[in-house]
Amino acid sequence: MRAGSPRLLREINDRAAIEILLDNGPMTRSELETAIGLSKPATAQLLARLEEDDVVRREGLRGGARGPRAQLWAVNGALCFVAAVDLTAESVDIAIADISGRVLAEHRAVMPAGPTEAVLAAFDTALTAAVGLAGLPEGTLRHVVVGSPGAVDRATGQLGFAPHLPGWEGFDLPGRLSELLNATVTVENDVNLVALEEMISGKAVDVRDMVLVWPADAVGSAVVVNRVLLRGATGGAGEIDWMRVPDLAKAGSAVGRDGIRFGDLVSSDSIVSLAAAHGVHAETGIAAVRAAVTGGDPGIAFLTDLARRIATGVANLVSVLDPELVLLSGETAETGGELLCELVQRELHELVIPKTPVELGSVTGNAVRAGALHSAYAIAREEIFGLPAAEFMKPPGSRAHR
C-alpha cells in the first residue's frame, strides 16, 4: 500500500460520514456503521476523530421499549451559518440556517422603491434583524444566496432584465452586497432557484432536460439541459418576459402579426381584460383564474384562451430545446391547477411536433427561498467539508469579502 493511503482512506470515510449525517440527521453509531460499511471499531474511531475536531457532536439519545438507549451523533451546525433571501420589489423574505440544515430564524421586511442607497440600507437592516432573531452576532454569516427577478451578468455583476426593481441596477450587485454584509454573496435568478428546488425534491428529480415557466407578471422561465441550469452569456437565458409572441386568444382585442411582449400578454391586466371578454369579472389576474376554475362554461372558455397565450410562448422554448418536461409554477399556475396545465398541454401540442408533457410544479411554500437555502448549503458544505456540489447546484458566481 502506498504511503499516505491510510490517511486518504480516513479522509474519504470522514467525508462520507459527514455527508450521510447531513442527509439523514442525527444517527446512532450502529446506524452510521451500516450506512458507511465500516466495522464497529473503525466507526467508533471515526466518530471520536470528528468529535475531537468539533465536526460532530453528541445530540441526545435514541431508545426503544427495551434495552439501553443509544447515543445520537450529528454534524455541528454551529460550524457555519448561511442566509437565503427571496428579493422582490416589495419585500425580502429571509431564512437563517446553520450548516446542518436547521433553520434558526425567518424574517420578512418591506423594501423601498429605490434609490440604490435606500434599498441597500433596507436590505442590510432586514438581514441584520434576521441574524438577531437567530440569536447570532453580526458578521457570522459565511454565505448568502439571494433569489432575485432578472439576471446577473457574471462578467460585470450587474442586474439586468429587472426594470421593476428600481435601485438595484447599474452596479456590481454581488460585490456591493458582499461588502455590505461581510460575507460571500451569490445572486441567482428567482425562477432558476424554483427549478433547482424541483430538481431536488419536486417533479424534476429524475428529469434531465426541462423547462419551468412562471406565467405571471414579470413572466420568467428556467431552462435545464442535462441537469444543468442554462444561464447564457449575460445570465439572461430564460428571460422570456421580453420574447415577442402573437395573441392566439379567440376573445379580446387581437395583438396582430407583429406580436407583443410575452410578459405583457400574460400580465395581470391582460388576464383581467381577457377574462372580462368571456364574462368573467375580477380585479386581478389571479382572482380571474380562481373564479374561472369553478365558473362553468365561461370560465373554461377563458382558461382555454389563457392557455393558448401561455402555450404560444412555451412553444418557442419547446421547439428549440425539445425538453422532457414543461413545468408551470407560480401563483397563476397554482390557482389554475391541473385544469390549466391540461389546457396548456392541449394547445401546446397543436403548435409543436414534440408532445412534451405539461405538469404543475410540486414545490409548495416559498420555492425561491427554499432553492436559495439549498444553494447556500451546497456552497458552504463544499467549502467547509470538501463535499462537491451536484452540477445543477453550482452557483453562477459570487463575490468574496473577507
Side-chain angles (χ1 to χ4, degrees), residues 121 169 402:
E169 294 185 291
R402 280 296 189 193

Side-chain angles (χ1 to χ4, degrees), residues 140-389:
T140 56
L141 293 177
R142 185 179 185 93
H143 195 77
V144 179
V145 175
V146 180
S148 165
V152 169
D153 188 324
R154 283 177 286 179
T156 66
Q158 293 194 23
L159 182 68
F161 304 94
H164 51 299
L165 281 181
W168 292 96
E169 294 185 291
F171 59 94
D172 177 0
L173 180 55
R176 285 287 296 275
L177 291 180
S178 294
E179 294 173 358
L180 187 67
L181 305 175
N182 192 33
T184 56
V185 176
T186 296
V187 181
E188 176 65 278
N189 173 262
D190 51 3
V191 182
N192 279 354
L193 290 173
V194 176
L196 185 152
E197 195 63 18
E198 288 286 352
M199 287 192 283
I200 292 171
S201 61
K203 290 280 184 71
V205 170
D206 298 316
V207 174
R208 301 204 65 79
D209 304 294
M210 75 157 182
V211 172
L212 184 143
V213 179
W214 188 284
D217 283 321
V219 60
S221 74
V223 177
V224 175
V225 178
N226 200 25
R227 298 290 288 175
V228 177
L229 281 164
L230 182 65
R231 294 187 173 91
T234 63
E239 290 294 341
I240 58 174
D241 186 86
W242 301 81
M243 181 173 63
R244 297 193 70 84
V245 297
D247 183 8
L248 300 184
K250 303 299 183 185
S253 58
V255 172
R257 65 181 181 181
D258 291 336
I260 190 174
R261 270 182 52 196
F262 189 37
D264 290 337
L265 194 62
V266 293
S267 70
S268 181
D269 288 345
S270 292
I271 293 174
V272 167
S273 177
L274 181 63
H278 286 281
V280 178
H281 300 282
E283 294 185 359
T284 66
I286 297 296
V289 174
R290 184 178 298 114
V293 170
T294 57
D297 291 341
I300 294 297
F302 155 59
L303 288 177
T304 300
D305 255 357
L306 176 59
R308 290 190 181 103
R309 286 183 171 181
I310 295 172
T312 306
V314 174
N316 292 289
L317 298 173
V318 170
S319 295
V320 173
L321 299 168
D322 189 18
E324 296 172 56
L325 176 67
V326 171
L327 285 179
L328 299 186
S329 190
E331 193 173 2
T332 299
E334 290 172 6
T335 304
E338 298 295 342
L339 173 59
L340 181 60
C341 285
E342 290 171 5
L343 293 172
V344 171
Q345 177 175 285
R346 186 181 72 188
E347 297 299 326
L348 177 65
H349 292 178
E350 292 293 321
L351 299 172
V352 295
I353 293 175
K355 303 307 178 188
T356 310
V358 178
E359 298 182 13
L360 185 66
S362 61
V363 177
T364 58
N366 190 329
V368 174
R369 199 186 73 179
L373 200 53
H374 274 113
S375 180
Y377 288 149
I379 294 164
R381 289 169 180 177
E382 187 165 30
E383 292 177 355
I384 299 292
F385 304 126
L387 299 174

